[in-house]
mmCIF file of all heavy atoms in Angstrom:
data_model
loop_
_atom_site.group_PDB
_atom_site.id
_atom_site.type_symbol
_atom_site.label_atom_id
_atom_site.label_comp_id
_atom_site.label_asym_id
_atom_site.label_seq_id
_atom_site.Cartn_x
_atom_site.Cartn_y
_atom_site.Cartn_z
ATOM 1 N N SER A 147 4.830 -6.581 28.393
ATOM 2 C CA SER A 147 5.241 -7.814 27.730
ATOM 3 C C SER A 147 5.072 -7.665 26.219
ATOM 4 O O SER A 147 4.003 -7.369 25.713
ATOM 5 C CB SER A 147 4.399 -8.987 28.224
ATOM 6 O OG SER A 147 3.045 -8.756 27.936
ATOM 7 N N GLY A 148 6.163 -7.857 25.487
ATOM 8 C CA GLY A 148 6.089 -7.790 24.027
ATOM 9 C C GLY A 148 5.822 -6.383 23.527
ATOM 10 O O GLY A 148 6.097 -5.395 24.183
ATOM 11 N N ARG A 149 5.255 -6.318 22.358
ATOM 12 C CA ARG A 149 4.954 -5.028 21.734
ATOM 13 C C ARG A 149 3.477 -4.726 21.940
ATOM 14 O O ARG A 149 2.631 -5.103 21.134
ATOM 15 C CB ARG A 149 5.300 -5.087 20.253
ATOM 16 C CG ARG A 149 5.155 -3.753 19.595
ATOM 17 C CD ARG A 149 5.612 -3.763 18.173
ATOM 18 N NE ARG A 149 5.154 -2.506 17.584
ATOM 19 C CZ ARG A 149 5.514 -2.075 16.417
ATOM 20 N NH1 ARG A 149 6.311 -2.791 15.686
ATOM 21 N NH2 ARG A 149 5.057 -0.941 15.960
ATOM 22 N N VAL A 150 3.171 -4.027 23.012
ATOM 23 C CA VAL A 150 1.790 -3.719 23.360
ATOM 24 C C VAL A 150 1.404 -2.394 22.701
ATOM 25 O O VAL A 150 2.119 -1.405 22.796
ATOM 26 C CB VAL A 150 1.614 -3.636 24.895
ATOM 27 C CG1 VAL A 150 0.178 -3.348 25.254
ATOM 28 C CG2 VAL A 150 2.076 -4.925 25.533
ATOM 29 N N MET A 151 0.268 -2.394 22.003
ATOM 30 C CA MET A 151 -0.185 -1.206 21.282
ATOM 31 C C MET A 151 -1.525 -0.748 21.835
ATOM 32 O O MET A 151 -2.267 -1.526 22.427
ATOM 33 C CB MET A 151 -0.319 -1.513 19.785
ATOM 34 C CG MET A 151 0.931 -2.078 19.137
ATOM 35 S SD MET A 151 2.277 -0.924 19.043
ATOM 36 C CE MET A 151 1.977 -0.219 17.458
ATOM 37 N N LYS A 152 -1.815 0.545 21.628
ATOM 38 C CA LYS A 152 -3.107 1.103 21.999
ATOM 39 C C LYS A 152 -3.524 2.068 20.896
ATOM 40 O O LYS A 152 -2.706 2.507 20.087
ATOM 41 C CB LYS A 152 -3.029 1.820 23.340
ATOM 42 C CG LYS A 152 -2.095 3.026 23.347
ATOM 43 C CD LYS A 152 -2.030 3.673 24.706
ATOM 44 C CE LYS A 152 -1.074 4.869 24.679
ATOM 45 N NZ LYS A 152 -0.997 5.532 25.975
ATOM 46 N N GLU A 153 -4.821 2.388 20.835
ATOM 47 C CA GLU A 153 -5.319 3.285 19.801
ATOM 48 C C GLU A 153 -5.121 4.740 20.195
ATOM 49 O O GLU A 153 -5.273 5.098 21.366
ATOM 50 C CB GLU A 153 -6.802 3.025 19.541
ATOM 51 C CG GLU A 153 -7.327 3.792 18.337
ATOM 52 C CD GLU A 153 -8.746 3.408 17.987
ATOM 53 O OE1 GLU A 153 -9.675 4.041 18.517
ATOM 54 O OE2 GLU A 153 -8.914 2.479 17.174
ATOM 55 N N ALA A 154 -4.775 5.563 19.195
ATOM 56 C CA ALA A 154 -4.609 6.993 19.425
ATOM 57 C C ALA A 154 -5.283 7.756 18.291
ATOM 58 O O ALA A 154 -5.304 7.294 17.149
ATOM 59 C CB ALA A 154 -3.137 7.360 19.487
ATOM 60 N N VAL A 155 -5.840 8.923 18.613
ATOM 61 C CA VAL A 155 -6.445 9.796 17.610
ATOM 62 C C VAL A 155 -5.468 10.943 17.366
ATOM 63 O O VAL A 155 -4.996 11.580 18.303
ATOM 64 C CB VAL A 155 -7.811 10.338 18.092
ATOM 65 C CG1 VAL A 155 -8.414 11.263 17.051
ATOM 66 C CG2 VAL A 155 -8.752 9.192 18.415
ATOM 67 N N LEU A 156 -5.163 11.188 16.088
ATOM 68 C CA LEU A 156 -4.217 12.236 15.720
ATOM 69 C C LEU A 156 -4.947 13.537 15.415
ATOM 70 O O LEU A 156 -6.165 13.560 15.282
ATOM 71 C CB LEU A 156 -3.393 11.795 14.507
ATOM 72 C CG LEU A 156 -2.665 10.466 14.675
ATOM 73 C CD1 LEU A 156 -1.951 10.089 13.392
ATOM 74 C CD2 LEU A 156 -1.672 10.541 15.818
ATOM 75 N N GLU A 157 -4.186 14.629 15.250
ATOM 76 C CA GLU A 157 -4.779 15.942 15.020
ATOM 77 C C GLU A 157 -5.591 16.017 13.735
ATOM 78 O O GLU A 157 -6.481 16.840 13.610
ATOM 79 C CB GLU A 157 -3.712 17.029 15.033
ATOM 80 C CG GLU A 157 -2.632 16.870 13.991
ATOM 81 C CD GLU A 157 -1.529 17.887 14.139
ATOM 82 O OE1 GLU A 157 -1.827 19.088 14.219
ATOM 83 O OE2 GLU A 157 -0.357 17.473 14.180
ATOM 84 N N SER A 158 -5.333 15.137 12.770
ATOM 85 C CA SER A 158 -6.102 15.126 11.526
ATOM 86 C C SER A 158 -7.384 14.300 11.653
ATOM 87 O O SER A 158 -8.200 14.283 10.754
ATOM 88 C CB SER A 158 -5.255 14.558 10.394
ATOM 89 O OG SER A 158 -5.001 13.186 10.623
ATOM 90 N N GLY A 159 -7.532 13.573 12.775
ATOM 91 C CA GLY A 159 -8.697 12.721 12.972
ATOM 92 C C GLY A 159 -8.413 11.256 12.689
ATOM 93 O O GLY A 159 -9.259 10.403 12.918
ATOM 94 N N ALA A 160 -7.230 10.950 12.181
ATOM 95 C CA ALA A 160 -6.859 9.569 11.880
ATOM 96 C C ALA A 160 -6.673 8.781 13.172
ATOM 97 O O ALA A 160 -6.179 9.305 14.171
ATOM 98 C CB ALA A 160 -5.579 9.533 11.062
ATOM 99 N N LYS A 161 -7.074 7.510 13.134
ATOM 100 C CA LYS A 161 -6.890 6.618 14.282
ATOM 101 C C LYS A 161 -5.804 5.617 13.930
ATOM 102 O O LYS A 161 -5.883 4.938 12.908
ATOM 103 C CB LYS A 161 -8.187 5.895 14.611
ATOM 104 C CG LYS A 161 -9.261 6.831 15.119
ATOM 105 C CD LYS A 161 -10.538 6.102 15.455
ATOM 106 C CE LYS A 161 -11.561 7.093 15.964
ATOM 107 N NZ LYS A 161 -12.857 6.479 16.193
ATOM 108 N N VAL A 162 -4.769 5.536 14.774
ATOM 109 C CA VAL A 162 -3.651 4.630 14.545
ATOM 110 C C VAL A 162 -3.306 3.895 15.836
ATOM 111 O O VAL A 162 -3.664 4.331 16.925
ATOM 112 C CB VAL A 162 -2.401 5.381 14.023
ATOM 113 C CG1 VAL A 162 -2.648 6.002 12.672
ATOM 114 C CG2 VAL A 162 -1.940 6.424 15.006
ATOM 115 N N GLN A 163 -2.586 2.783 15.673
ATOM 116 C CA GLN A 163 -2.098 2.024 16.812
ATOM 117 C C GLN A 163 -0.711 2.545 17.178
ATOM 118 O O GLN A 163 0.159 2.667 16.306
ATOM 119 C CB GLN A 163 -2.026 0.532 16.477
ATOM 120 C CG GLN A 163 -3.375 -0.117 16.249
ATOM 121 C CD GLN A 163 -4.183 -0.186 17.530
ATOM 122 O OE1 GLN A 163 -3.681 -0.517 18.588
ATOM 123 N NE2 GLN A 163 -5.467 0.135 17.422
ATOM 124 N N VAL A 164 -0.511 2.869 18.452
ATOM 125 C CA VAL A 164 0.777 3.387 18.931
ATOM 126 C C VAL A 164 1.233 2.560 20.133
ATOM 127 O O VAL A 164 0.408 1.932 20.801
ATOM 128 C CB VAL A 164 0.678 4.890 19.322
ATOM 129 C CG1 VAL A 164 0.324 5.733 18.111
ATOM 130 C CG2 VAL A 164 -0.317 5.108 20.436
ATOM 131 N N PRO A 165 2.544 2.570 20.445
ATOM 132 C CA PRO A 165 3.025 1.869 21.643
ATOM 133 C C PRO A 165 2.440 2.507 22.905
ATOM 134 O O PRO A 165 2.042 3.673 22.896
ATOM 135 C CB PRO A 165 4.540 2.075 21.589
ATOM 136 C CG PRO A 165 4.839 2.388 20.172
ATOM 137 C CD PRO A 165 3.640 3.101 19.639
ATOM 138 N N ILE A 166 2.428 1.757 24.010
ATOM 139 C CA ILE A 166 1.765 2.236 25.226
ATOM 140 C C ILE A 166 2.450 3.430 25.862
ATOM 141 O O ILE A 166 1.828 4.159 26.619
ATOM 142 C CB ILE A 166 1.613 1.107 26.274
ATOM 143 C CG1 ILE A 166 2.969 0.525 26.653
ATOM 144 C CG2 ILE A 166 0.693 0.031 25.760
ATOM 145 C CD1 ILE A 166 2.917 -0.404 27.847
ATOM 146 N N PHE A 167 3.727 3.692 25.541
ATOM 147 C CA PHE A 167 4.414 4.820 26.172
ATOM 148 C C PHE A 167 4.065 6.170 25.530
ATOM 149 O O PHE A 167 4.436 7.208 26.036
ATOM 150 C CB PHE A 167 5.930 4.607 26.172
ATOM 151 C CG PHE A 167 6.522 4.400 24.808
ATOM 152 C CD1 PHE A 167 6.802 5.481 23.981
ATOM 153 C CD2 PHE A 167 6.805 3.120 24.356
ATOM 154 C CE1 PHE A 167 7.354 5.285 22.733
ATOM 155 C CE2 PHE A 167 7.355 2.915 23.106
ATOM 156 C CZ PHE A 167 7.630 4.000 22.291
ATOM 157 N N ILE A 168 3.345 6.177 24.420
ATOM 158 C CA ILE A 168 2.948 7.435 23.766
ATOM 159 C C ILE A 168 1.799 8.059 24.553
ATOM 160 O O ILE A 168 0.834 7.381 24.901
ATOM 161 C CB ILE A 168 2.517 7.183 22.304
ATOM 162 C CG1 ILE A 168 3.681 6.609 21.490
ATOM 163 C CG2 ILE A 168 1.982 8.458 21.666
ATOM 164 C CD1 ILE A 168 4.853 7.541 21.320
ATOM 165 N N GLU A 169 1.905 9.350 24.807
ATOM 166 C CA GLU A 169 0.885 10.062 25.581
ATOM 167 C C GLU A 169 0.268 11.179 24.753
ATOM 168 O O GLU A 169 0.784 11.550 23.699
ATOM 169 C CB GLU A 169 1.521 10.637 26.855
ATOM 170 C CG GLU A 169 2.049 9.562 27.785
ATOM 171 C CD GLU A 169 2.821 10.135 28.966
ATOM 172 O OE1 GLU A 169 2.830 11.366 29.130
ATOM 173 O OE2 GLU A 169 3.414 9.337 29.703
ATOM 174 N N THR A 170 -0.820 11.735 25.255
ATOM 175 C CA THR A 170 -1.497 12.846 24.603
ATOM 176 C C THR A 170 -0.551 14.039 24.474
ATOM 177 O O THR A 170 0.287 14.268 25.344
ATOM 178 C CB THR A 170 -2.746 13.254 25.417
ATOM 179 O OG1 THR A 170 -3.563 12.081 25.574
ATOM 180 C CG2 THR A 170 -3.561 14.317 24.705
ATOM 181 N N ASN A 171 -0.672 14.784 23.376
ATOM 182 C CA ASN A 171 0.124 15.972 23.037
ATOM 183 C C ASN A 171 1.564 15.669 22.622
ATOM 184 O O ASN A 171 2.353 16.580 22.491
ATOM 185 C CB ASN A 171 0.117 17.015 24.164
ATOM 186 C CG ASN A 171 -1.271 17.556 24.399
ATOM 187 O OD1 ASN A 171 -2.053 17.686 23.454
ATOM 188 N ND2 ASN A 171 -1.590 17.854 25.635
ATOM 189 N N GLN A 172 1.910 14.402 22.401
ATOM 190 C CA GLN A 172 3.224 14.064 21.872
ATOM 191 C C GLN A 172 3.156 14.048 20.355
ATOM 192 O O GLN A 172 2.136 13.685 19.770
ATOM 193 C CB GLN A 172 3.689 12.695 22.364
ATOM 194 C CG GLN A 172 4.250 12.703 23.754
ATOM 195 C CD GLN A 172 4.886 11.370 24.107
ATOM 196 O OE1 GLN A 172 4.414 10.317 23.707
ATOM 197 N NE2 GLN A 172 5.965 11.431 24.871
ATOM 198 N N LYS A 173 4.275 14.427 19.704
ATOM 199 C CA LYS A 173 4.344 14.410 18.248
ATOM 200 C C LYS A 173 4.971 13.093 17.821
ATOM 201 O O LYS A 173 5.999 12.692 18.351
ATOM 202 C CB LYS A 173 5.178 15.592 17.748
ATOM 203 C CG LYS A 173 5.056 15.840 16.268
ATOM 204 C CD LYS A 173 5.821 17.084 15.875
ATOM 205 C CE LYS A 173 4.896 18.008 15.125
ATOM 206 N NZ LYS A 173 5.587 19.180 14.604
ATOM 207 N N ILE A 174 4.313 12.419 16.850
ATOM 208 C CA ILE A 174 4.817 11.133 16.355
ATOM 209 C C ILE A 174 4.909 11.164 14.837
ATOM 210 O O ILE A 174 4.291 11.992 14.178
ATOM 211 C CB ILE A 174 3.914 9.963 16.810
ATOM 212 C CG1 ILE A 174 2.485 10.118 16.279
ATOM 213 C CG2 ILE A 174 3.918 9.827 18.322
ATOM 214 C CD1 ILE A 174 1.596 8.925 16.519
ATOM 215 N N LYS A 175 5.702 10.237 14.303
ATOM 216 C CA LYS A 175 5.859 10.088 12.858
ATOM 217 C C LYS A 175 5.042 8.877 12.418
ATOM 218 O O LYS A 175 5.137 7.808 13.024
ATOM 219 C CB LYS A 175 7.329 9.894 12.505
ATOM 220 C CG LYS A 175 7.599 9.835 11.014
ATOM 221 C CD LYS A 175 9.034 9.481 10.750
ATOM 222 C CE LYS A 175 9.780 10.692 10.257
ATOM 223 N NZ LYS A 175 11.164 10.370 9.865
ATOM 224 N N ILE A 176 4.247 9.054 11.339
ATOM 225 C CA ILE A 176 3.362 8.010 10.831
ATOM 226 C C ILE A 176 3.712 7.707 9.374
ATOM 227 O O ILE A 176 3.982 8.608 8.591
ATOM 228 C CB ILE A 176 1.883 8.480 10.918
ATOM 229 C CG1 ILE A 176 1.474 8.748 12.354
ATOM 230 C CG2 ILE A 176 0.935 7.484 10.271
ATOM 231 C CD1 ILE A 176 1.422 7.528 13.227
ATOM 232 N N ASP A 177 3.682 6.426 9.002
ATOM 233 C CA ASP A 177 3.831 6.010 7.607
ATOM 234 C C ASP A 177 2.432 6.017 6.992
ATOM 235 O O ASP A 177 1.587 5.198 7.360
ATOM 236 C CB ASP A 177 4.443 4.611 7.534
ATOM 237 C CG ASP A 177 4.723 4.158 6.117
ATOM 238 O OD1 ASP A 177 4.150 4.735 5.174
ATOM 239 O OD2 ASP A 177 5.524 3.215 5.955
ATOM 240 N N THR A 178 2.164 6.934 6.051
ATOM 241 C CA THR A 178 0.807 7.087 5.517
ATOM 242 C C THR A 178 0.419 5.962 4.559
ATOM 243 O O THR A 178 -0.762 5.768 4.295
ATOM 244 C CB THR A 178 0.653 8.438 4.791
ATOM 245 O OG1 THR A 178 1.615 8.519 3.746
ATOM 246 C CG2 THR A 178 0.825 9.591 5.755
ATOM 247 N N ARG A 179 1.378 5.200 4.050
ATOM 248 C CA ARG A 179 1.041 4.088 3.149
ATOM 249 C C ARG A 179 0.339 2.977 3.914
ATOM 250 O O ARG A 179 -0.584 2.349 3.416
ATOM 251 C CB ARG A 179 2.294 3.541 2.482
ATOM 252 C CG ARG A 179 3.013 4.546 1.584
ATOM 253 C CD ARG A 179 4.354 4.052 1.175
ATOM 254 N NE ARG A 179 5.202 3.883 2.376
ATOM 255 C CZ ARG A 179 6.464 3.579 2.364
ATOM 256 N NH1 ARG A 179 7.077 3.370 1.229
ATOM 257 N NH2 ARG A 179 7.156 3.472 3.490
ATOM 258 N N THR A 180 0.800 2.725 5.155
ATOM 259 C CA THR A 180 0.260 1.618 5.934
ATOM 260 C C THR A 180 -0.560 2.103 7.131
ATOM 261 O O THR A 180 -1.305 1.327 7.710
ATOM 262 C CB THR A 180 1.396 0.738 6.477
ATOM 263 O OG1 THR A 180 2.260 1.540 7.284
ATOM 264 C CG2 THR A 180 2.186 0.114 5.335
ATOM 265 N N GLY A 181 -0.393 3.364 7.499
ATOM 266 C CA GLY A 181 -1.106 3.896 8.669
ATOM 267 C C GLY A 181 -0.470 3.449 9.978
ATOM 268 O O GLY A 181 -1.114 3.419 11.005
ATOM 269 N N GLU A 182 0.811 3.098 9.944
ATOM 270 C CA GLU A 182 1.488 2.576 11.123
ATOM 271 C C GLU A 182 2.386 3.624 11.767
ATOM 272 O O GLU A 182 2.967 4.473 11.097
ATOM 273 C CB GLU A 182 2.334 1.348 10.761
ATOM 274 C CG GLU A 182 1.501 0.169 10.351
ATOM 275 C CD GLU A 182 2.360 -1.040 9.937
ATOM 276 O OE1 GLU A 182 3.602 -0.895 9.867
ATOM 277 O OE2 GLU A 182 1.776 -2.092 9.705
ATOM 278 N N TYR A 183 2.539 3.503 13.075
ATOM 279 C CA TYR A 183 3.441 4.330 13.874
ATOM 280 C C TYR A 183 4.874 4.014 13.476
ATOM 281 O O TYR A 183 5.246 2.855 13.323
ATOM 282 C CB TYR A 183 3.191 4.010 15.362
ATOM 283 C CG TYR A 183 4.263 4.495 16.294
ATOM 284 C CD1 TYR A 183 4.232 5.793 16.794
ATOM 285 C CD2 TYR A 183 5.309 3.653 16.687
ATOM 286 C CE1 TYR A 183 5.220 6.250 17.674
ATOM 287 C CE2 TYR A 183 6.291 4.092 17.568
ATOM 288 C CZ TYR A 183 6.238 5.388 18.052
ATOM 289 O OH TYR A 183 7.213 5.830 18.907
ATOM 290 N N VAL A 184 5.725 5.055 13.338
ATOM 291 C CA VAL A 184 7.130 4.856 13.012
ATOM 292 C C VAL A 184 8.007 5.193 14.211
ATOM 293 O O VAL A 184 8.807 4.377 14.644
ATOM 294 C CB VAL A 184 7.554 5.707 11.792
ATOM 295 C CG1 VAL A 184 9.038 5.547 11.505
ATOM 296 C CG2 VAL A 184 6.739 5.333 10.570
ATOM 297 N N SER A 185 7.849 6.423 14.738
ATOM 298 C CA SER A 185 8.686 6.831 15.875
ATOM 299 C C SER A 185 8.133 8.094 16.518
ATOM 300 O O SER A 185 7.229 8.721 15.987
ATOM 301 C CB SER A 185 10.122 7.105 15.399
ATOM 302 O OG SER A 185 10.144 8.233 14.546
ATOM 303 N N ARG A 186 8.729 8.444 17.667
ATOM 304 C CA ARG A 186 8.429 9.734 18.293
ATOM 305 C C ARG A 186 9.275 10.800 17.598
ATOM 306 O O ARG A 186 10.341 10.505 17.086
ATOM 307 C CB ARG A 186 8.799 9.708 19.781
ATOM 308 C CG ARG A 186 7.739 9.107 20.643
ATOM 309 C CD ARG A 186 7.998 9.404 22.082
ATOM 310 N NE ARG A 186 8.989 8.469 22.642
ATOM 311 C CZ ARG A 186 9.153 8.269 23.922
ATOM 312 N NH1 ARG A 186 8.452 8.944 24.810
ATOM 313 N NH2 ARG A 186 10.045 7.413 24.355
ATOM 314 N N VAL A 187 8.804 12.037 17.672
ATOM 315 C CA VAL A 187 9.564 13.135 17.081
ATOM 316 C C VAL A 187 10.117 13.986 18.198
ATOM 317 O O VAL A 187 9.408 14.329 19.103
ATOM 318 C CB VAL A 187 8.685 13.978 16.128
ATOM 319 C CG1 VAL A 187 9.479 15.137 15.582
ATOM 320 C CG2 VAL A 187 8.162 13.105 15.010
#
Side-chain angles (χ1 to χ4, degrees):
S147 60
R149 186 175 168 170
V150 181
M151 305 292 269
K152 63 181 179 179
E153 188 173 90
V155 179
L156 305 177
E157 60 186 309
S158 67
K161 293 181 180 175
V162 296
Q163 293 292 317
V164 297
I166 59 170
F167 57 81
I168 298 295
E169 297 173 7
T170 305
N171 296 326
Q172 280 189 324
K173 193 176 234 185
I174 61 172
K175 184 187 253 185
I176 298 293
D177 184 342
T178 58
R179 297 169 297 186
T180 59
E182 293 178 354
Y183 165 86
V184 177
S185 66
R186 277 194 279 198
V187 178

